[in-house]
Amino acid sequence: MKKFVVFMLVIFMSFPAFIKADNLTLAPNSKSAIMLEVSTGEILFEKNSHERLHPASMTKMMSLLLIMESIEKNIIKLDDMVTVSSNASGMGGSQILLETNEQMSVDDLIKGVTIASGNDAVVALAERIAGTEEEFVNMMNNKVKELGLNDTNFKNSHGLDAANHYSSAYDMSIIAKELVKHEKILEYSRIYEMYLRENTDRKIWLVNTNKLVRFYNGVDGLKTGYTKEAGYCLTATAKKNDMRIITVVMGEPDSSTRNSEVTGMLDYAFSQYEIEKLLSKESIIGETLVEKGTNKYVKLVPTSDVTVLNKKINGKKNATYEVEVDNIIAPVTKGSIVGKLHIKEDDNLTRTIDITVSEDVKKANLFELYLRYLKEILIGDVGI
């Protein structure tokens, strides 16, 4: 591996690192809570965030994550029709009143999950993807391991209380952060009300269980939850001025308190913080040799925008980056991971982002390599 370094000074003045909101009176009635900014992953506030609690229907965020991944992998399609099993139609709790052997599209079932928190809908989708709900739950727990979460274990896809079914506010926030990468899900979760089976005698009106979708500007998701053991839970996400915040509260005493405390958390985040873009996905961060390529060199770009979270008042950070790139041998395609971009804020390494190439580079044939060799002999820069 070869390594080269580029530093960029973003802010001209350095201020002391700002203090997280741990000492503020946020979510005082919750058993646990957390708030983070999505693009940086920076935690703005946390309270008992690793305590293992019943997640209730926030469980469905993991189910939805696997559902969205299955759609992107063409395992299922939005217009696929799903035949509802007796197991799915027999689910208790919140439901969209599916009947055994009824057929409903994947698209409508997702609406039933995201808007109405339908237990029957999520089980129908789980069975369609994995064959059985049990196997789908295995997939959920495998994803937990993949994400490196330590305080979550699922026993079902819907969130009804069960022995050894638990999660934490921190783990829920990471699942939510992964879920919102699939922007399609927000097209569903931002819907406040709609009808399913419209123009039939079994029409059902769906109203979003997350009232903040309607009553807080910028909220477009994500998932509520309630059981007797869990209390009132909510993972909410909102975006303003290119900054997306995720909040999680667990074990609230009632839905009114839950909504009020999440509102307070969001108000704090948007009033105190702002996002600054350090690099975009199109930013050229360096150039490197491509061995045996039709082009000798290729430019390097990040795989995602790189942002810095600043406190609005006296909170600007000095941000730099370091590029580490592998040896590249043609062919190489745009999107292939060829190195790492290490982000530092006030001299502290905060995160690492993948690097790719700005364009495809094909493998050169022997004749092309020979011509290049002759040319470089003449100019004194031999290398292939």
Side-chain angles (χ1 to χ4, degrees), residues 56-60 63 91 119 122-123 133 156-160:
S57 280
M58 293 195 304
T59 297
K60 295 185 178 79
S63 298
M91 285 293 111
N119 295 333
V122 77
V123 171
E133 187 190 8
N156 58 57
S157 62
H158 43 72
L160 291 176

Side-chain angles (χ1 to χ4, degrees), residues 142-171:
N142 287 336
K143 192 68 177 181
V144 166
K145 295 176 183 176
E146 181 184 323
L147 294 175
L149 307 180
N150 298 316
D151 300 308
T152 296
N153 186 68
F154 294 119
K155 300 299 287 186
N156 58 57
S157 62
H158 43 72
L160 291 176
D161 292 332
N164 210 33
H165 184 97
Y166 57 82
S167 190
S168 67
Y170 175 84
D171 286 7

